[in-house]
Amino acid sequence: GDSLKTTDVVLGNLVANGISFLISKVGDAVTSIMALSDETRDYRDDMAKLETAFTTAGYSTEAARKTYEDFYALLGESDRSVEAVNHLAELTKSEEELSKWSTIAAGVTAKFGDSLPIEGLTEAANETAKVGKVTGPLADALNWAGISEDEFNEKLAACNNEQERATLITETLNGAYSDAAAGYNELTASTQDARRATSDLESAQAELGAAIEPVTTAWTQMKADAL
């Protein structure tokens, strides 16, 4: 102890403080990682519902993810995006039609914003294809684009089945809103890229949350057993 110089003591304290700081940050990181299992559970449930709907309809999980990301880039909200895209699993029959609905969503968002919610539109389109008569927000999307609701109902009545009605709805809306979508996508490219990056981050966090969940589950069970 007597042989230590002041410099040695200062350096020793620096090293000790540095190690303490690192240990503290490692502890914070572990706490954050452990929390991901809880924080991402709702998101993982939503993604499971989405992928189940798509794979049941004959689509790949990649198609589900891509369509979700397209809608998230427009809406910036995971719940609304999942709700909107879930309806498309039943409404559409090809990835080409899914792509057209991404265009429709962009065009409708550009022209009407939240006054015509996309999740309401996809639900109404799905219902209309089933019952054969225009319902809900689909009426607004048609009327506001200058398309006669009565004439469209006549076209629906002339269709032979639900799939033909779904195709009619998709093609009509795509034709009405594709120009607005092109301009909107160009003007909001950076915003949409930022939201896609956020979506990728949420997905990565969810994967880590799923990986750590068995540990947090075991810890919860240990506490329950102890009590």
Side-chain angles (χ1 to χ4, degrees), residues 132-216:
K133 186 176 181 179
V134 173
T135 62
L138 178 59
D140 293 333
L142 293 170
N143 291 329
W144 295 351
I147 300 169
S148 169
E149 183 179 338
D150 291 335
E151 291 180 5
F152 194 77
N153 276 327
E154 292 176 3
K155 292 181 179 179
L156 287 170
C159 294
N160 295 316
N161 52 50
E162 180 181 334
Q163 185 53 52
E164 287 187 7
R165 292 191 292 270
T167 299
L168 174 64
I169 295 168
T170 300
E171 294 298 333
T172 301
L173 292 179
N174 186 62
Y177 290 100
S178 58
D179 289 344
Y184 185 73
N185 285 335
E186 182 178 353
L187 292 172
T188 61
S190 60
T191 300
Q192 291 190 38
D193 286 343
R195 287 173 177 164
R196 289 180 192 278
T198 299
S199 178
D200 289 342
L201 178 59
E202 287 182 346
S203 179
Q205 288 174 330
E207 289 182 13
L208 187 53
I212 204 69
E213 191 158 47
V215 177
T216 59

Side-chain angles (χ1 to χ4, degrees), residues 23 26 55 79 103 111 114 134 157 161 171 181 193 197 199 206 223 226:
I23 291 174
V26 169
T55 53
D79 290 343
T103 299
K111 298 193 76 172
D114 291 339
V134 173
N161 52 50
E171 294 298 333
D193 286 343
S199 178
K223 289 188 288 184

